[in-house]
Amino acid sequence: MQAVILGAGSGKRLRRISPSKPLTKLLGLPLLERNIRLLKDLGVSKVVVVTGHKREQVEAWCRKRAPEIGVDLVTVHNDEWANTENGRSLHAAAGHLDEPFVLLMADHLYSSELLSALVKTPPPPGGAALAVDRDTSASWVDPDDVTRVTLRGRRITRIGKGLESTDGFDTGAFYCDPAVFTTVARSIRSGNTSLSRAMQMLADDGRLEARFVDGMFWQDVDTPADYRKARRRLVDAVADKATDGPISRHINRPVSKRITPLLVAAGMTPNAISVLSLMLSFGAAALLAQPQHGLMALGGVLAQLASIIDGCDGEVARLTMRSSKFGGWFDAQLDRYADAALLAALTWNLLSRGAGPAAYLLGIAAIAGSFVVSYGAHKADRVLKEKFRVGRDLRVFVIMVGALVGAPWLALGVIAVTMNAVVVWRMTQMRPLLDRPVDRPEPTRVPSETAAAVASVSITPVATKPLTRSDHTWAARPVRPGLRATQSAPSTRPRPK
């Protein structure tokens, strides 16, 4: 798959933030890089970047970053960028594409979900498909700047900024047949270099279709106000995790969303944040083991802070597009060490107060239940889809509450009972789901006429040919120098009957 990103505009309204609009950094990544990485994840192998303003900077960035990102980046310059609109920029890429391509704007943000929906089906022959958001009440959209569309079913009938009535918004993401360049050239010859005019010509011919992306993330970044909205909406988007437990969703995430941008600005990697969370947990464990109530309470608060930071590593990974399977696995391993340290510290606290063997049993039950719950969480998330997820966020919150009220017995007891109860409940729920018989379709019976026809088919034997012929050069074995070729005698071994 191929793609085009239009980045020739001057971006006057964003000059206070960055001199080059495509290279404007948003939460650690330039706008251009965000789109290129999304396209790579979509399966695009070649991206044509159309340059204009600050051409040298954009081209130098593409040369430097292309090997690391892992896509073929081709830069094409629109030498009329100062006096023409984005339709002329698209036409500059005409000679570099030979298959259906994705067309994006460099100053827009998109989600992978939106782009996947856009390319799910091919574009209309000779035309284009546009990702259309039918939520026209979105508060983050600038009503004076957004491009609107009117629809007749899935066919776009009108497109432009000055439409009085609207059925949806143009998100700036297209999936185009290469033949659209003919229409773009026709629009330019008529004296109109805007992309919307070329798309309107396609709509007039019935070759502009809508791909509905209602509720999916996208954002136009034209002004400093748009930039602030995009920053806030991006953080909200990456913090919205379906598998979050109640404590993570309602307590941890509102705090982590404020910390994560600071960690991105500091240049911390997701794995470094995972290690930081582990170190905080070890510090909390050292305080929780102390018999003094003040130190134990401080340890509980520090444990909760470590739990909040533990959510930041995933947010930073998604924001900076560094998510990896290793990162998720690495974080899970460190979490188990942190859990063991915190629960062992509470057990030590009880033993230092003179508690007997019951403290050992309670500590072991809490640690074992916590580990088994975490071990089975991934499978349970996929199969059970629990509405109330019991996990690490709840465990650490209980530890904090127990430490604040000076009741390590209570914290360990609640964790031991709750975690092991969840394990038993999952076992009872998972067995019928995992062991249920697979519905197999019954074999289709062959109609009698077909059976008779098959039975009447005769097989004609095909004459076989020897694998080699004596006149072929490869039929003779090579002879080593100094040796005489001899003909092997026929075998005298009896053949099996």
Side-chain angles (χ1 to χ4, degrees):
M1 194 184 301
Q2 300 174 340
V4 177
I5 299 178
L6 304 184
S10 62
K12 291 180 181 179
R13 291 176 288 180
L14 273 181
R15 292 278 176 86
R16 290 188 309 178
I17 297 175
S18 171
S20 171
K21 197 173 188 180
L23 301 184
T24 300
K25 275 199 171 184
L26 177 63
L27 292 168
L29 287 180
L31 296 176
L32 179 60
E33 183 170 353
R34 288 188 176 277
N35 286 332
I36 293 173
R37 288 188 178 274
L38 279 176
L39 290 169
K40 179 190 175 184
D41 293 342
L42 192 67
V44 172
S45 58
K46 177 182 179 180
V47 180
V48 179
V49 179
V50 182
T51 65
H53 179 68
K54 297 292 181 180
R55 166 191 183 181
E56 295 80 8
Q57 293 182 14
V58 176
E59 290 179 350
W61 181 91
C62 288
R63 286 193 300 269
K64 180 180 179 181
R65 300 291 289 167
E68 179 182 338
I69 298 175
V71 295
D72 181 16
L73 285 182
V74 178
T75 56
V76 179
H77 182 59
N78 174 13
D79 52 7
E80 299 177 6
W81 67 267
N83 304 311
T84 57
E85 297 183 67
N86 51 2
R88 176 66 183 85
S89 293
L90 175 58
H91 189 262
H96 299 271
L97 302 157
D98 53 9
E99 61 183 59
F101 63 92
V102 179
L103 170 62
L104 302 181
M105 310 297 124
D107 59 356
H108 282 49
L109 298 173
Y110 308 96
S111 66
S112 58
E113 180 187 20
L114 184 148
L115 295 185
S116 296
L118 174 63
V119 302
K120 193 172 184 179
T121 56
L130 167 63
V132 174
D133 188 350
R134 291 175 293 183
D135 181 10
T136 57
S137 62
S139 59
W140 49 268
V141 174
D142 183 354
D144 298 325
D145 192 53
V146 68
T147 300
R148 306 166 185 267
V149 300
T150 59
L151 301 167
R152 184 176 300 157
R154 286 189 172 271
R155 191 166 72 84
I156 297 174
T157 55
R158 298 182 66 200
I159 180 170
K161 291 188 176 182
L163 301 182
E164 295 181 1
S165 63
T166 179
D167 296 318
F169 293 146
D170 168 4
T171 65
F174 298 82
Y175 191 29
C176 305
D177 187 287
V180 299
F181 286 113
T182 302
T183 304
V184 173
R186 185 155 52 95
S187 174
I188 293 173
R189 286 195 301 270
S190 71
N192 193 320
T193 60
S194 72
L195 182 61
S196 292
R197 174 55 186 163
M199 292 300 160
Q200 182 60 59
M201 295 172 73
L202 290 177
D204 293 340
D205 295 337
R207 291 181 287 142
L208 185 60
E209 296 180 354
R211 299 284 187 269
F212 299 132
V213 294
D214 311 345
M216 302 180 193
F217 181 88
W218 67 279
Q219 171 85 51
D220 186 4
V221 186
D222 272 333
T223 66
D226 292 337
Y227 181 88
R228 290 189 293 271
K229 290 178 187 176
R231 178 186 173 93
R232 183 176 62 253
R233 292 186 68 231
L234 261 183
V235 174
D236 288 342
V238 301
D240 185 12
K241 192 176 177 183
T243 57
D244 273 349
I247 302 301
S248 284
R249 183 173 294 110
H250 300 295
I251 296 177
N252 292 2
R253 292 297 183 190
V255 180
S256 68
K257 288 193 295 186
R258 297 179 179 275
I259 299 174
T260 291
L262 302 178
L263 297 175
V264 171
M268 290 195 69
T269 65
N271 290 345
I273 297 171
S274 297
V275 173
L276 173 62
S277 174
L278 178 64
M279 294 298 103
L280 291 174
S281 295
F282 283 166
L287 293 171
L288 288 169
Q290 305 305 314
Q292 296 89 348
H293 177 246
L295 293 177
M296 184 172 62
L298 180 59
V301 173
L302 188 58
Q304 184 62 28
L305 175 61
S307 179
I308 293 172
I309 296 296
D310 186 48
C312 293
D313 55 4
E315 294 175 5
V316 170
R318 293 186 289 275
L319 272 180
T320 58
M321 309 184 86
R322 296 180 185 174
S323 298
S324 67
K325 292 181 179 180
F326 173 79
W329 176 84
F330 179 71
D331 179 54
Q333 306 310 300
L334 299 192
D335 285 347
R336 302 294 76 77
Y337 281 113
D339 287 344
L342 295 174
L343 295 173
L346 287 181
T347 306
W348 182 273
N349 187 299
L350 292 177
L351 292 171
S352 67
R353 298 183 181 198
Y360 283 113
L361 296 177
L362 196 59
I364 292 171
I367 293 174
S370 299
F371 276 35
V372 177
V373 163
S374 297
Y375 178 77
H378 182 64
K379 177 76 77 175
D381 288 339
R382 289 186 299 155
V383 177
L384 297 179
K385 297 179 172 61
E386 300 165 322
K387 294 182 179 179
F388 187 88
R389 191 177 190 273
V390 177
R392 187 168 189 271
D393 59 328
L394 182 60
R395 289 197 296 272
V396 177
F397 185 75
V398 169
I399 290 173
M400 181 187 72
V401 173
L404 289 176
V405 300
W409 273 105
L410 177 64
L412 274 180
V414 169
I415 292 172
V417 172
T418 303
M419 296 301 121
N420 287 286
V422 170
V423 171
V424 173
W425 181 83
R426 283 179 178 172
M427 287 179 178
T428 61
Q429 299 297 311
M430 295 277 277
R431 181 173 182 178
L433 295 175
L434 295 178
D435 289 344
R436 61 187 173 188
V438 179
D439 295 331
R440 301 182 184 277
E442 294 185 4
T444 306
R445 293 186 177 182
V446 180
S448 56
E449 310 84 37
T450 307
V454 172
S456 65
V457 174
S458 60
I459 300 176
T460 304
V462 179
T464 58
K465 296 182 180 180
L467 295 178
T468 61
R469 299 205 316 262
S470 57
D471 58 335
H472 282 179
T473 56
W474 62 76
R477 288 184 174 181
V479 180
R480 290 178 57 187
L483 296 179
R484 185 175 58 184
T486 60
Q487 188 168 0
S488 58
S491 174
T492 58
R493 293 179 58 186
R495 295 184 179 181
K497 295 183 179 179

